[in-house]
Coordinates of all heavy atoms in Angstrom, one line a residue:
M1 N -29.2 -9.2 -24.9 CA -30.5 -8.8 -25.3 C -31.4 -9.2 -24.1 O -31.7 -10.3 -23.9 CB -30.9 -9.5 -26.6 CG -30.1 -9.1 -27.7 SD -30.2 -9.9 -29.4 CE -31.9 -10.5 -29.4
T2 N -31.9 -8.1 -23.5 CA -32.7 -8.4 -22.2 C -34.2 -8.2 -22.4 O -34.9 -8.3 -21.4 CB -32.2 -7.4 -21.2 OG1 -32.4 -6.0 -21.6 CG2 -30.7 -7.6 -20.8
H3 N -34.7 -8.0 -23.5 CA -36.1 -7.9 -23.8 C -36.8 -9.2 -23.6 O -36.2 -10.2 -24.1 CB -36.4 -7.3 -25.1 CG -37.8 -6.8 -25.3 ND1 -38.8 -7.6 -25.5 CD2 -38.3 -5.6 -25.2 CE1 -40.0 -7.0 -25.6 NE2 -39.7 -5.7 -25.4
P4 N -38.0 -9.3 -23.0 CA -38.7 -10.6 -22.9 C -38.9 -11.4 -24.2 O -38.9 -12.6 -24.2 CB -40.0 -10.3 -22.2 CG -39.7 -9.0 -21.5 CD -38.7 -8.3 -22.3
L5 N -39.0 -10.7 -25.3 CA -39.2 -11.3 -26.6 C -38.0 -12.2 -27.0 O -38.1 -13.1 -27.8 CB -39.5 -10.3 -27.7 CG -40.8 -9.6 -27.6 CD1 -40.9 -8.6 -28.8 CD2 -42.0 -10.6 -27.7
Y6 N -36.8 -11.9 -26.4 CA -35.6 -12.6 -26.7 C -35.2 -13.6 -25.7 O -34.1 -14.1 -25.6 CB -34.5 -11.6 -26.9 CG -34.7 -10.6 -28.1 CD1 -34.7 -9.2 -27.8 CD2 -35.1 -11.0 -29.3 CE1 -34.9 -8.3 -28.8 CE2 -35.4 -10.1 -30.3 CZ -35.3 -8.7 -30.1 OH -35.5 -7.8 -31.1
K7 N -36.2 -14.0 -24.8 CA -35.9 -15.0 -23.8 C -35.4 -16.3 -24.5 O -34.5 -16.9 -24.0 CB -37.2 -15.3 -23.0 CG -37.0 -16.4 -22.0 CD -38.4 -16.6 -21.2 CE -38.3 -17.7 -20.2 NZ -39.6 -17.9 -19.6
Y8 N -36.0 -16.6 -25.6 CA -35.6 -17.8 -26.5 C -35.6 -17.3 -27.9 O -36.4 -16.5 -28.3 CB -36.5 -18.9 -26.4 CG -36.6 -19.5 -25.0 CD1 -37.8 -19.3 -24.2 CD2 -35.6 -20.3 -24.5 CE1 -37.9 -19.9 -22.9 CE2 -35.7 -20.9 -23.2 CZ -36.9 -20.6 -22.4 OH -37.0 -21.2 -21.2
G9 N -34.6 -17.7 -28.6 CA -34.5 -17.3 -30.0 C -33.2 -17.6 -30.6 O -32.3 -18.2 -30.0
F10 N -33.0 -17.2 -31.9 CA -31.7 -17.4 -32.6 C -31.6 -16.4 -33.7 O -32.6 -15.7 -34.1 CB -31.6 -18.8 -33.1 CG -32.7 -19.3 -34.0 CD1 -32.7 -19.1 -35.3 CD2 -33.8 -20.0 -33.4 CE1 -33.7 -19.6 -36.2 CE2 -34.8 -20.4 -34.2 CZ -34.8 -20.2 -35.6
V11 N -30.4 -16.2 -34.2 CA -30.2 -15.2 -35.3 C -30.3 -16.0 -36.6 O -29.8 -17.1 -36.8 CB -28.7 -14.6 -35.1 CG1 -28.4 -13.7 -36.3 CG2 -28.6 -13.9 -33.8
I12 N -31.0 -15.4 -37.5 CA -31.1 -15.9 -38.9 C -30.0 -15.1 -39.6 O -29.9 -13.9 -39.6 CB -32.5 -15.6 -39.5 CG1 -33.6 -16.3 -38.7 CG2 -32.5 -15.9 -41.0 CD1 -35.0 -15.9 -39.2
N13 N -29.0 -15.9 -40.2 CA -27.9 -15.3 -40.8 C -28.3 -14.3 -41.9 O -29.0 -14.6 -42.8 CB -27.1 -16.5 -41.5 CG -25.6 -16.2 -41.5 OD1 -25.2 -15.3 -41.0 ND2 -24.9 -17.1 -42.2
Y14 N -27.9 -13.1 -41.7 CA -28.3 -12.0 -42.6 C -27.2 -10.9 -42.6 O -26.7 -10.5 -41.6 CB -29.6 -11.4 -42.2 CG -30.0 -10.3 -43.1 CD1 -30.5 -10.6 -44.4 CD2 -29.9 -9.0 -42.8 CE1 -30.9 -9.5 -45.3 CE2 -30.2 -7.9 -43.6 CZ -30.7 -8.2 -44.8 OH -31.0 -7.2 -45.7
N15 N -26.8 -10.5 -43.8 CA -25.9 -9.4 -44.0 C -24.6 -9.6 -43.2 O -24.1 -8.7 -42.6 CB -26.5 -8.1 -43.7 CG -25.7 -6.9 -44.2 OD1 -24.8 -7.1 -45.1 ND2 -25.9 -5.7 -43.7
T16 N -24.1 -10.8 -43.3 CA -22.8 -11.1 -42.6 C -21.6 -10.4 -43.2 O -20.6 -10.3 -42.5 CB -22.5 -12.6 -42.6 OG1 -22.5 -13.1 -44.0 CG2 -23.6 -13.4 -41.8
E17 N -21.8 -9.9 -44.4 CA -20.7 -9.1 -45.0 C -20.8 -7.6 -44.6 O -20.0 -6.8 -45.1 CB -20.7 -9.3 -46.5 CG -20.4 -10.7 -46.9 CD -20.3 -10.9 -48.4 OE1 -19.9 -10.0 -49.1 OE2 -20.4 -12.1 -48.8
R18 N -21.8 -7.3 -43.8 CA -21.9 -5.9 -43.3 C -22.1 -4.8 -44.3 O -21.4 -3.8 -44.3 CB -20.8 -5.6 -42.3 CG -20.7 -6.7 -41.2 CD -19.5 -6.5 -40.3 NE -19.6 -5.3 -39.6 CZ -18.7 -4.9 -38.7 NH1 -17.6 -5.6 -38.5 NH2 -18.9 -3.8 -38.0
I19 N -22.9 -5.1 -45.3 CA -23.2 -4.1 -46.4 C -24.0 -3.0 -45.8 O -25.0 -3.2 -45.2 CB -23.9 -4.8 -47.6 CG1 -23.0 -5.9 -48.1 CG2 -24.3 -3.8 -48.6 CD1 -23.7 -6.8 -49.1
P20 N -23.5 -1.7 -45.9 CA -24.2 -0.6 -45.4 C -25.6 -0.5 -45.9 O -25.9 -0.8 -47.0 CB -23.4 0.6 -45.8 CG -22.0 0.1 -46.1 CD -22.2 -1.3 -46.6
N21 N -26.5 -0.1 -45.0 CA -27.9 0.2 -45.3 C -28.7 -1.1 -45.6 O -29.8 -1.0 -46.1 CB -28.1 1.2 -46.4 CG -27.4 2.5 -46.0 OD1 -27.6 3.0 -45.0 ND2 -26.6 3.0 -47.0
K22 N -28.2 -2.3 -45.3 CA -28.9 -3.5 -45.6 C -29.4 -4.2 -44.3 O -29.9 -5.3 -44.3 CB -28.0 -4.5 -46.3 CG -27.6 -4.1 -47.7 CD -28.8 -4.2 -48.6 CE -28.4 -3.9 -50.0 NZ -29.5 -4.1 -51.0
G23 N -29.3 -3.5 -43.2 CA -29.7 -4.0 -41.9 C -28.6 -4.9 -41.3 O -27.5 -5.1 -41.9
S24 N -28.8 -5.3 -40.0 CA -27.7 -6.0 -39.3 C -28.0 -7.4 -39.0 O -27.1 -8.2 -38.9 CB -27.3 -5.2 -38.0 OG -28.5 -5.1 -37.2
A25 N -29.3 -7.7 -38.7 CA -29.6 -9.1 -38.3 C -31.1 -9.3 -38.4 O -31.9 -8.4 -38.3 CB -29.1 -9.4 -36.9
I26 N -31.5 -10.6 -38.5 CA -32.9 -11.0 -38.4 C -32.9 -12.0 -37.3 O -32.2 -12.9 -37.3 CB -33.4 -11.5 -39.7 CG1 -33.3 -10.5 -40.9 CG2 -34.8 -12.0 -39.6 CD1 -33.6 -11.1 -42.2
F27 N -33.8 -11.8 -36.4 CA -34.0 -12.7 -35.2 C -35.2 -13.6 -35.4 O -36.2 -13.1 -35.9 CB -34.0 -12.0 -33.9 CG -32.7 -11.1 -33.7 CD1 -32.8 -9.8 -34.0 CD2 -31.6 -11.7 -33.3 CE1 -31.6 -9.0 -33.8 CE2 -30.4 -11.0 -33.1 CZ -30.5 -9.6 -33.3
F28 N -35.2 -14.8 -34.9 CA -36.3 -15.6 -34.8 C -36.6 -15.7 -33.2 O -35.7 -16.2 -32.5 CB -36.0 -17.0 -35.3 CG -37.2 -17.9 -35.4 CD1 -37.8 -18.2 -36.7 CD2 -37.9 -18.5 -34.4 CE1 -38.9 -19.0 -36.9 CE2 -39.0 -19.3 -34.5 CZ -39.5 -19.5 -35.8
H29 N -37.7 -15.1 -32.8 CA -37.9 -15.0 -31.4 C -39.4 -15.1 -31.0 O -40.2 -15.3 -31.8 CB -37.4 -13.6 -30.9 CG -38.0 -12.4 -31.6 ND1 -39.3 -12.0 -31.3 CD2 -37.5 -11.6 -32.6 CE1 -39.5 -10.9 -32.0 NE2 -38.5 -10.7 -32.8
I30 N -39.7 -15.0 -29.7 CA -41.0 -15.1 -29.2 C -41.8 -13.9 -29.6 O -41.3 -12.8 -29.6 CB -41.0 -15.2 -27.6 CG1 -40.2 -16.4 -27.2 CG2 -42.4 -15.1 -27.0 CD1 -39.9 -16.4 -25.7
G31 N -43.1 -14.1 -29.9 CA -44.0 -13.0 -30.3 C -45.4 -13.4 -30.6 O -45.6 -14.6 -30.9
T32 N -46.3 -12.5 -30.5 CA -47.7 -12.8 -30.8 C -48.3 -11.8 -31.9 O -49.5 -11.8 -32.1 CB -48.5 -12.7 -29.6 OG1 -48.4 -11.3 -29.0 CG2 -48.1 -13.7 -28.5
S33 N -47.4 -11.0 -32.5 CA -47.9 -10.0 -33.4 C -46.8 -9.8 -34.5 O -45.8 -10.6 -34.6 CB -48.1 -8.7 -32.7 OG -48.7 -7.7 -33.6
Y34 N -47.0 -8.8 -35.3 CA -46.0 -8.5 -36.4 C -44.7 -8.1 -35.8 O -44.6 -7.7 -34.6 CB -46.5 -7.4 -37.3 CG -46.6 -6.1 -36.6 CD1 -45.6 -5.2 -36.7 CD2 -47.8 -5.7 -36.0 CE1 -45.6 -4.0 -36.1 CE2 -47.9 -4.5 -35.4 CZ -46.8 -3.6 -35.4 OH -46.9 -2.4 -34.8
T35 N -43.6 -8.2 -36.6 CA -42.3 -7.7 -36.1 C -41.8 -6.6 -37.1 O -42.5 -6.4 -38.1 CB -41.3 -8.8 -36.1 OG1 -41.0 -9.2 -37.4 CG2 -41.8 -10.0 -35.3
L36 N -40.7 -6.1 -36.9 CA -40.1 -5.1 -37.8 C -39.0 -5.7 -38.6 O -37.9 -5.1 -38.7 CB -39.7 -3.8 -37.0 CG -40.8 -3.1 -36.3 CD1 -40.2 -2.0 -35.4 CD2 -41.8 -2.5 -37.3
G37 N -39.2 -6.9 -39.1 CA -38.3 -7.6 -39.9 C -37.8 -8.9 -39.4 O -37.2 -9.7 -40.1
C38 N -38.1 -9.2 -38.2 CA -37.8 -10.5 -37.6 C -38.9 -11.5 -37.9 O -39.9 -11.2 -38.6 CB -37.6 -10.4 -36.1 SG -36.2 -9.4 -35.6
T39 N -38.8 -12.7 -37.3 CA -39.8 -13.7 -37.4 C -40.1 -14.1 -35.9 O -39.2 -14.3 -35.1 CB -39.3 -15.0 -38.1 OG1 -39.0 -14.6 -39.5 CG2 -40.3 -16.1 -38.1
A40 N -41.4 -14.1 -35.6 CA -41.8 -14.4 -34.3 C -42.9 -15.5 -34.2 O -43.8 -15.5 -35.1 CB -42.3 -13.1 -33.6
T41 N -42.9 -16.3 -33.2 CA -44.0 -17.3 -32.9 C -44.1 -17.5 -31.4 O -43.3 -16.9 -30.7 CB -43.7 -18.6 -33.7 OG1 -44.8 -19.4 -33.6 CG2 -42.4 -19.3 -33.2
S42 N -44.9 -18.4 -31.0 CA -45.1 -18.6 -29.6 C -43.9 -19.1 -28.9 O -43.0 -19.7 -29.6 CB -46.3 -19.6 -29.4 OG -45.9 -20.9 -29.8
E43 N -43.8 -18.9 -27.6 CA -42.6 -19.4 -26.9 C -42.5 -20.9 -27.0 O -41.4 -21.4 -27.2 CB -42.8 -19.1 -25.4 CG -41.6 -19.5 -24.6 CD -41.6 -19.0 -23.1 OE1 -42.1 -17.9 -22.9 OE2 -41.2 -19.7 -22.2
S44 N -43.6 -21.7 -27.0 CA -43.5 -23.1 -27.1 C -43.0 -23.5 -28.5 O -42.2 -24.5 -28.6 CB -44.8 -23.8 -26.8 OG -45.8 -23.4 -27.8
N45 N -43.4 -22.8 -29.6 CA -42.8 -23.1 -30.9 C -41.3 -22.8 -31.0 O -40.6 -23.6 -31.6 CB -43.6 -22.3 -32.0 CG -44.9 -22.9 -32.3 OD1 -45.2 -24.0 -32.0 ND2 -45.8 -22.1 -32.9
V46 N -40.9 -21.7 -30.4 CA -39.5 -21.3 -30.5 C -38.7 -22.4 -29.7 O -37.7 -22.8 -30.2 CB -39.2 -19.9 -29.9 CG1 -37.7 -19.6 -29.8 CG2 -39.9 -18.8 -30.7
I47 N -39.2 -22.8 -28.6 CA -38.4 -23.9 -27.8 C -38.4 -25.2 -28.6 O -37.3 -25.8 -28.7 CB -39.1 -24.1 -26.4 CG1 -38.8 -22.8 -25.6 CG2 -38.5 -25.3 -25.8 CD1 -39.6 -22.8 -24.3
S48 N -39.5 -25.6 -29.2 CA -39.5 -26.8 -30.1 C -38.5 -26.7 -31.2 O -37.7 -27.7 -31.5 CB -40.9 -27.0 -30.6 OG -41.8 -27.4 -29.6
I49 N -38.4 -25.6 -31.9 CA -37.5 -25.4 -33.0 C -36.1 -25.4 -32.5 O -35.2 -26.0 -33.1 CB -37.8 -24.1 -33.8 CG1 -39.2 -24.3 -34.5 CG2 -36.7 -23.7 -34.7 CD1 -39.8 -23.0 -35.0
L50 N -35.8 -24.7 -31.4 CA -34.4 -24.7 -30.8 C -34.0 -26.2 -30.5 O -32.8 -26.5 -30.7 CB -34.4 -23.8 -29.6 CG -34.4 -22.3 -29.9 CD1 -34.5 -21.6 -28.6 CD2 -33.1 -21.9 -30.6
K51 N -34.9 -27.0 -30.0 CA -34.5 -28.4 -29.6 C -34.2 -29.2 -30.9 O -33.4 -30.1 -30.9 CB -35.6 -29.0 -28.8 CG -35.7 -28.5 -27.4 CD -36.9 -29.2 -26.7 CE -37.0 -28.7 -25.3 NZ -38.1 -29.3 -24.5
W52 N -34.9 -28.9 -32.0 CA -34.8 -29.6 -33.2 C -33.6 -29.1 -34.1 O -32.9 -29.9 -34.8 CB -36.1 -29.4 -34.0 CG -36.0 -29.9 -35.4 CD1 -36.2 -31.1 -35.9 CD2 -35.8 -29.0 -36.6 NE1 -36.1 -31.1 -37.3 CE2 -35.9 -29.8 -37.7 CE3 -35.6 -27.6 -36.7 CZ2 -35.7 -29.3 -39.0 CZ3 -35.5 -27.1 -38.0 CH2 -35.5 -27.9 -39.1
L53 N -33.3 -27.8 -34.0 CA -32.4 -27.1 -34.9 C -31.0 -27.7 -34.7 O -30.5 -27.8 -33.5 CB -32.4 -25.6 -34.6 CG -31.7 -24.7 -35.5 CD1 -32.4 -24.8 -36.9 CD2 -31.8 -23.3 -35.0
D54 N -30.3 -28.0 -35.7 CA -28.9 -28.5 -35.7 C -28.0 -27.7 -36.6 O -28.0 -27.9 -37.8 CB -28.9 -30.0 -36.1 CG -27.5 -30.6 -36.0 OD1 -26.5 -29.9 -35.8 OD2 -27.4 -31.8 -36.2
P55 N -27.3 -26.7 -36.0 CA -26.5 -25.8 -36.9 C -25.5 -26.5 -37.7 O -25.2 -26.0 -38.8 CB -25.8 -24.9 -35.8 CG -26.7 -24.9 -34.6 CD -27.3 -26.3 -34.6
S56 N -25.0 -27.7 -37.3 CA -24.0 -28.4 -38.1 C -24.6 -28.9 -39.5 O -23.9 -29.2 -40.4 CB -23.5 -29.6 -37.3 OG -24.4 -30.6 -37.2
K57 N -25.9 -28.9 -39.6 CA -26.6 -29.3 -40.8 C -26.9 -28.1 -41.8 O -27.6 -28.3 -42.8 CB -27.9 -30.1 -40.5 CG -27.6 -31.4 -39.8 CD -28.8 -32.2 -39.6 CE -28.5 -33.5 -38.9 NZ -29.7 -34.3 -38.6
N58 N -26.4 -26.9 -41.4 CA -26.6 -25.7 -42.2 C -28.1 -25.5 -42.6 O -28.5 -25.5 -43.7 CB -25.8 -25.8 -43.5 CG -24.3 -25.8 -43.2 OD1 -23.8 -25.0 -42.3 ND2 -23.6 -26.7 -43.8
P59 N -28.9 -25.3 -41.5 CA -30.4 -25.2 -41.8 C -30.7 -23.9 -42.6 O -29.9 -22.9 -42.5 CB -31.0 -25.1 -40.4 CG -29.8 -24.6 -39.5 CD -28.6 -25.2 -40.1
V60 N -31.8 -23.9 -43.3 CA -32.2 -22.8 -44.1 C -33.7 -22.5 -43.6 O -34.5 -23.4 -43.5 CB -32.2 -23.1 -45.6 CG1 -32.8 -22.0 -46.4 CG2 -30.8 -23.4 -46.0
I61 N -34.0 -21.3 -43.5 CA -35.4 -20.9 -43.2 C -36.0 -20.3 -44.5 O -35.4 -19.5 -45.1 CB -35.5 -19.9 -42.0 CG1 -37.0 -19.7 -41.7 CG2 -34.8 -18.6 -42.3 CD1 -37.2 -18.9 -40.4
I62 N -37.2 -20.8 -44.8 CA -37.9 -20.4 -46.0 C -39.2 -19.8 -45.6 O -40.0 -20.5 -45.0 CB -38.1 -21.5 -47.0 CG1 -36.8 -22.1 -47.5 CG2 -39.0 -21.0 -48.2 CD1 -36.9 -23.3 -48.3
Q63 N -39.4 -18.6 -45.9 CA -40.7 -17.9 -45.5 C -41.4 -17.5 -46.8 O -41.0 -16.6 -47.5 CB -40.4 -16.7 -44.6 CG -39.8 -17.1 -43.3 CD -39.5 -15.9 -42.4 OE1 -38.3 -15.7 -42.1 NE2 -40.5 -15.2 -42.0
T64 N -42.5 -18.3 -47.0 CA -43.2 -18.0 -48.3 C -44.6 -18.6 -48.1 O -44.8 -19.5 -47.2 CB -42.5 -18.7 -49.4 OG1 -43.1 -18.3 -50.7 CG2 -42.5 -20.2 -49.3
P65 N -45.6 -18.2 -48.9 CA -46.9 -18.8 -48.8 C -46.8 -20.3 -49.1 O -45.9 -20.7 -50.0 CB -47.7 -18.1 -49.9 CG -47.0 -16.7 -50.0 CD -45.5 -17.0 -49.8
I66 N -47.6 -21.1 -48.5 CA -47.5 -22.6 -48.7 C -47.5 -23.0 -50.2 O -46.8 -23.9 -50.6 CB -48.5 -23.3 -47.9 CG1 -48.1 -24.8 -47.7 CG2 -49.9 -23.1 -48.4 CD1 -48.8 -25.5 -46.5
Q67 N -48.3 -22.3 -51.0 CA -48.4 -22.7 -52.4 C -47.1 -22.4 -53.2 O -46.9 -22.9 -54.3 CB -49.6 -22.0 -53.1 CG -49.5 -20.5 -53.1 CD -50.1 -19.8 -51.9 OE1 -50.3 -20.3 -50.9 NE2 -50.4 -18.5 -52.1
E68 N -46.2 -21.7 -52.6 CA -44.9 -21.4 -53.2 C -43.8 -22.3 -52.8 O -42.7 -22.2 -53.3 CB -44.5 -19.9 -53.0 CG -45.5 -18.9 -53.5 CD -45.6 -18.8 -55.0 OE1 -44.6 -19.1 -55.7 OE2 -46.7 -18.6 -55.5
L69 N -44.0 -23.2 -51.8 CA -42.9 -24.0 -51.3 C -42.3 -24.9 -52.4 O -41.1 -25.2 -52.3 CB -43.5 -24.9 -50.2 CG -43.6 -24.2 -48.8 CD1 -44.2 -25.2 -47.8 CD2 -42.2 -23.8 -48.4
G70 N -43.1 -25.3 -53.4 CA -42.5 -26.1 -54.5 C -41.4 -25.4 -55.3 O -40.7 -26.0 -56.0
S71 N -41.3 -24.1 -55.1 CA -40.3 -23.3 -55.8 C -38.9 -23.5 -55.2 O -37.9 -23.0 -55.7 CB -40.6 -21.8 -55.8 OG -41.9 -21.6 -56.4
F72 N -38.8 -24.1 -54.0 CA -37.6 -24.2 -53.3 C -37.0 -25.6 -53.2 O -37.5 -26.6 -53.0 CB -37.7 -23.6 -51.9 CG -38.1 -22.2 -51.9 CD1 -39.4 -21.8 -51.9 CD2 -37.1 -21.2 -52.1 CE1 -39.8 -20.4 -51.9 CE2 -37.5 -19.9 -52.1 CZ -38.8 -19.5 -52.1

C-alpha cells in the first residue's frame, strides 16, 4: 500500500471468512476527513496507538458515540 494515508496504520479484523459482498478489510490509518469505511485520525494519533497496541492481548476497537460506551 503506497498511498501516503497508509504510511502508518493497521488492519481492523473484518470479514476474515471472505463472505462475498461484505467487503475485504477495514484499515485504521492517517487522515483528516471522512473515509469510505475505514477509520482515520492524525499521524501522531496513529503512531501513538501503534506504540500502545499489543496484538497478543486481542484488542477490540469500539466505534460509538461516547454516551453508548456503557453498552460494551
Side-chain angles (χ1 to χ4, degrees):
M1 296 175 28
T2 59
H3 194 282
L5 292 177
Y6 300 126
K7 179 178 177 182
Y8 298 105
F10 54 90
V11 176
I12 297 172
N13 211 6
Y14 177 76
N15 197 15
T16 57
E17 296 188 22
R18 303 172 70 178
I19 299 168
N21 303 311
K22 294 287 184 179
S24 59
I26 299 173
F27 301 100
F28 192 105
H29 59 77
I30 298 167
T32 59
S33 185
Y34 67 91
T35 70
L36 297 175
C38 294
T39 297
T41 188
S42 70
E43 182 172 324
S44 63
N45 282 343
V46 175
I47 291 169
S48 293
I49 291 167
L50 284 169
K51 288 178 179 179
W52 167 84
L53 196 61
D54 182 351
S56 71
K57 294 183 178 178
N58 297 314
V60 175
I61 186 168
I62 299 172
Q63 295 179 240
T64 189
I66 197 161
Q67 64 270 19
E68 298 295 325
L69 279 175
S71 301
F72 298 95

